[in-house]
Amino acid sequence: MRTHYCGLVDEALIGRTVTLCGWADVARNLGGLCFIDLRDHEGIVQIVAEPADTDGNAEVIAAAAAVGYEDCLRVTGVVRKREAVNAKIRTGRVEVVATKIELLNKAEPLPFHAHENPGEDIRLKYRYLDLRRPEMQQMMRTRIRLVQALRRWLDARGFQDIETPILTKATPEGARDFLVPARMHPGEFYALPQSPQLFKQILMMAGFDRYYQIARCFRDEALRADRQLEFTQLDMEFAWVTERDVQDTVEEMIRVVFREVKGIELADPFPRMTYAEAMRRYGSDKPDLRIALEFTDVAELVKGCEFKVFTDWANHADGRVVALRAPGGAQFSRKQIDDYAAHAAKFGAKGLAWMKIEDAAKGREGINSPIAKFLDDATLAAIVQATGAQTGDAIFFGASTWKVASDFMGALRLKLGKDLGLVANGWAPLWVTDFPMFEWDDEEKRYVALHHPFTAPAVDDEADLRANARIAVSRGYDMVLNGNEIGGGSIRIHRSSMQSAVFDLLGIGAEEAEAKFGFLLDALKYGAPPHGGIAFGIDRIAALMAGTESIRDVIAFPKTTSAQCLMTGAPSPVPEAQLAEVHIRVAERKAE
């Protein structure tokens, strides 16, 4: 239907006849002389319909005058040089003088304009219109280029693209599974995969050595800006490797892909930091290194003070008292401080102590703080010195269990960094390594895996792992970029006895392990090689490249935060006859 794309018409085509297809982005009738900005996915070109007395072009003028916003058109015309150059668009030096304008489909009045940015609910309900917007076209094409670049890099280096099942077995760890009733097996269910984890490990045992897959994954969990029920990840697995083998390979891949897709040069090599150091300095296992703010542990300074919140946690075996300097924070109003306290409360804080250093030279007299009266002069001076606070700064304090204090102060650090304009331009990649093997779940009174239950511990001896489970370190690693975890992986357990020991520590008994993971335990017995891998979040990386904070902007048809597709109306009821075929009956909802 067309000879060229609208956005690719250039000076090389001057004097030639072209046929273009697209939507009317703008239509202007200047008393017989009509202009149409015709848009397709490559961009916009100006169409001109000249007055009838110029060349007898009455039919073209009439068609142009009738064009409405977002009408679907086919235009034939001759390319000529444009008198008034538009440097803002790629085709701004040329225009097309129409000889024929065909209306392919008339657009009814639209719920929003392509150059508007309406509320997200409206955008998602009319997603086909939202995706027409140039901003969305650019974001989606960034994602497309990202996936293309990844595939090129992997294919050129001998990685094998192997599909794994979508209908699989339910797992007892991680988020909730999406279940699919098995019609031919009444009362039994498949699960949609949260990741291809076990299948890619088995591929290593099967001798495929270097695997990858652009995999669709599913998790029935709460949604937010960087999370969806269904998402896409680049899944990779290697046989006969150590941690550094995996890390060095994928680090090179990420550097090449960022350079190719966005012209961005990332550090070479990426800096490295252990989990313990990241939590100690930044209160996060994915610290944003563009923000220079760091914690100062002050438990030793306040152990004997009269402020009970500090002394209780400073003397607690699992307690932490941490300080964070806010440069220029002495200007904060009480309302701003209360807002920061409310933000910290979302992450577990019971309160947020603070000091304003109004004049460091005056000691106690230069400090404005509701807790200063509980601290002696020496302690106040030691805190100011330890944090490096100066006149005009503020200091915030967190006191709680080590993890809770780290979490809410880490969240506060990010907010302060943004509010105070302390986020440096550029890109800050990082490897975080040596994660704990387990976390203790107080509610369930058992250990849970920090990464997943197939991650290898740093020790090779099962008895050593059992005896030191609380402090055991794993062979897990994450790649972080600008405070976002973009990839996570580990060396896997490759011996059946160690896998059974880990299951046991996680509260998965021998009978349950056999029922749910018997195939894996069997496979590990037959010469499974040492192996490891990593998975990268395609949606998250694409969002970073596109400069948006929401992964919904780089997913063609995302769900809302309430897990709905507003365009199709999913999820939706299913007829009883269809449910009966899969042996399902829906229980009646209880009244609110």
Side-chain angles (χ1 to χ4, degrees):
M1 291 184 71
R2 61 186 169 193
T3 61
H4 297 80
Y5 291 106
C6 297
L8 300 183
V9 176
D10 59 20
E11 290 172 290
L13 296 173
I14 289 175
R16 291 178 54 181
T17 297
V18 297
T19 298
L20 311 171
C21 293
W23 289 276
D25 192 75
V26 174
R28 305 181 298 278
N29 186 345
L30 305 180
L33 178 64
C34 297
F35 294 91
I36 301 167
D37 287 349
L38 193 66
R39 186 189 73 247
D40 62 15
H41 76 274
E42 290 288 357
I44 288 175
V45 67
Q46 179 170 278
I47 307 296
V48 182
E50 296 187 323
D53 60 356
T54 301
D55 56 8
N57 203 15
E59 185 177 333
V60 173
I61 287 290
V67 168
Y69 176 58
E70 288 299 292
D71 283 354
C72 186
L73 307 176
R74 181 173 186 243
V75 176
T76 299
V78 178
V79 181
R80 75 179 180 191
K81 187 174 182 179
R82 184 168 171 171
E83 290 185 9
V85 172
N86 182 354
K88 295 180 180 179
I89 59 176
R90 184 165 47 177
T91 63
R93 294 184 176 277
V94 296
E95 61 189 9
V96 177
V97 180
T99 56
K100 186 176 183 180
I101 297 177
E102 301 172 68
L103 177 63
L104 301 178
N105 201 350
K106 185 71 178 173
E108 294 186 7
L110 273 63
F112 61 88
H113 194 284
H115 297 284
E116 295 175 348
N117 190 9
E120 191 173 55
D121 284 358
I122 293 293
R123 290 176 55 199
L124 294 181
K125 181 176 181 179
Y126 300 97
R127 189 61 164 177
Y128 39 87
L129 298 178
D130 186 40
L131 289 173
R132 282 189 202 170
R133 296 192 302 125
E135 296 86 349
M136 292 301 297
Q137 289 272 317
Q138 186 59 41
M139 287 186 185
M140 291 303 302
R141 293 179 79 175
T142 295
R143 180 195 179 103
I144 292 164
R145 290 195 300 272
L146 165 63
V147 173
Q148 290 171 336
L150 288 168
R151 286 194 182 278
R152 279 195 300 271
W153 194 94
L154 292 162
D155 291 342
R157 286 157 183 80
F159 284 86
Q160 301 166 93
D161 183 0
I162 303 174
E163 292 181 345
T164 54
I166 292 295
L167 297 176
T168 184
K169 193 168 188 173
T171 59
E173 293 289 323
R176 293 184 182 89
D177 290 316
F178 279 102
L179 300 178
V180 180
R183 182 179 60 82
M184 293 181 286
H185 300 274
E188 297 182 352
F189 297 82
Y190 300 105
L192 301 182
Q194 295 187 33
S195 85
Q197 182 62 44
L198 297 183
F199 290 104
K200 69 178 183 178
Q201 287 189 240
I202 288 174
L203 285 170
M204 297 305 101
M205 302 168 201
F208 285 96
D209 206 274
R210 281 187 160 199
Y211 143 96
Y212 87 92
Q213 182 182 187
I214 307 293
R216 295 291 284 171
C217 303
F218 308 85
R219 293 179 186 171
D220 189 1
E221 59 185 356
L223 276 67
R224 57 185 190 224
D226 65 346
R227 189 168 291 175
Q228 283 278 297
L229 300 177
E230 51 182 318
F231 56 95
T232 305
Q233 66 185 37
L234 166 61
D235 219 63
M236 303 174 68
E237 198 77 5
F238 309 65
W240 319 104
V241 290
T242 65
E243 294 93 316
R244 197 63 188 242
D245 295 326
V246 176
Q247 293 164 9
D248 288 349
T249 300
V250 300
E251 181 180 315
E252 179 196 353
M253 177 187 73
I254 292 297
R255 263 196 302 273
V256 169
V257 167
F258 267 77
R259 182 185 305 125
E260 184 176 325
V261 177
K262 296 296 290 184
I264 293 167
E265 293 292 338
L266 298 179
D268 184 6
F270 291 1
R272 294 170 175 273
M273 186 178 296
T274 65
Y275 170 89
E277 182 183 0
M279 295 301 292
R280 177 178 59 81
R281 293 171 62 185
Y282 305 109
S284 172
D285 60 3
K286 51 179 186 295
D288 189 342
L289 299 187
R290 297 173 302 165
I291 301 172
L293 302 179
E294 293 193 28
F295 292 170
T296 303
D297 283 291
V298 295
E300 291 299 321
L301 301 179
V302 299
K303 274 187 172 181
C305 77
E306 296 180 11
F307 189 45
K308 190 173 185 301
V309 175
F310 282 2
T311 55
D312 283 353
W313 289 113
N315 290 285
H316 192 285
D318 189 38
R320 186 176 196 188
V321 184
V322 64
L324 179 64
R325 180 178 74 96
Q331 65 181 332
F332 291 150
S333 67
R334 187 54 192 263
K335 181 183 184 305
Q336 286 176 298
I337 291 175
D338 289 344
D339 288 343
Y340 284 124
H343 181 74
K346 297 176 185 177
F347 298 87
K350 302 296 185 185
L352 190 67
W354 54 272
M355 291 180 182
K356 293 182 182 181
I357 313 302
E358 295 176 342
D359 189 339
K362 292 183 177 180
R364 175 184 295 276
E365 298 304 315
I367 294 174
N368 177 1
S369 171
I371 66 167
K373 61 187 177 184
F374 300 109
L375 307 174
D376 59 32
D377 290 352
T379 301
L380 284 172
I383 289 172
V384 171
Q385 182 179 11
T387 58
Q390 300 175 4
T391 298
D393 293 345
I395 305 172
F396 289 98
F397 299 88
S400 187
T401 63
W402 196 89
K403 185 176 187 311
V404 171
S406 300
D407 286 347
F408 73 72
M409 290 298 285
L412 178 64
R413 171 182 173 271
L414 291 178
K415 184 165 178 57
L416 284 170
K418 292 177 182 177
D419 291 352
L420 295 174
L422 300 177
V423 183
N425 292 326
W427 299 84
L430 173 72
W431 280 110
V432 178
T433 64
D434 301 324
F435 280 80
M437 187 74 183
F438 306 111
E439 283 184 313
W440 180 255
D441 188 314
D442 282 326
E443 290 186 7
E444 297 191 20
K445 303 300 179 187
R446 69 177 183 93
Y447 287 116
V448 293
L450 196 70
H451 264 85
H452 55 59
F454 317 109
T455 297
V459 297
D460 289 329
D461 182 69
E462 289 106 58
D464 187 347
L465 178 66
R466 290 179 185 275
N468 298 288
R470 187 181 66 84
I471 59 172
V473 173
S474 79
R475 299 178 71 182
Y477 38 83
D478 285 354
M479 184 185 287
V480 176
L481 184 61
N482 290 2
N484 297 272
E485 178 208 329
I486 62 170
S490 67
I491 297 301
R492 322 303 188 188
I493 297 168
H494 70 279
R495 296 200 319 269
S496 185
S497 58
M498 178 62 81
Q499 187 64 78
S500 294
V502 169
F503 283 157
D504 187 41
L505 285 165
L506 293 172
I508 303 172
E511 187 174 333
E512 182 183 2
E514 180 61 33
K516 293 182 174 177
F517 300 109
F519 65 97
L520 173 67
L521 294 171
D522 285 345
L524 291 172
K525 296 174 183 176
Y526 297 109
H531 59 285
I534 193 167
F536 288 96
I538 296 291
D539 310 308
R540 199 167 294 173
I541 295 174
L544 283 169
M545 286 182 164
T548 178
E549 294 186 357
S550 174
I551 63 171
R552 291 190 289 274
D553 287 335
V554 293
I555 298 173
F557 302 104
K559 305 291 188 294
T560 64
T561 52
S562 59
Q564 293 176 297
C565 174
L566 298 181
M567 186 182 74
T568 64
S572 60
V574 173
E576 288 190 14
Q578 191 174 350
L579 290 174
E581 287 183 344
V582 292
H583 316 285
I584 294 288
R585 183 171 65 244
V586 177
E588 287 187 19
R589 244 185 224 178
K590 292 182 180 179
E592 291 289 338

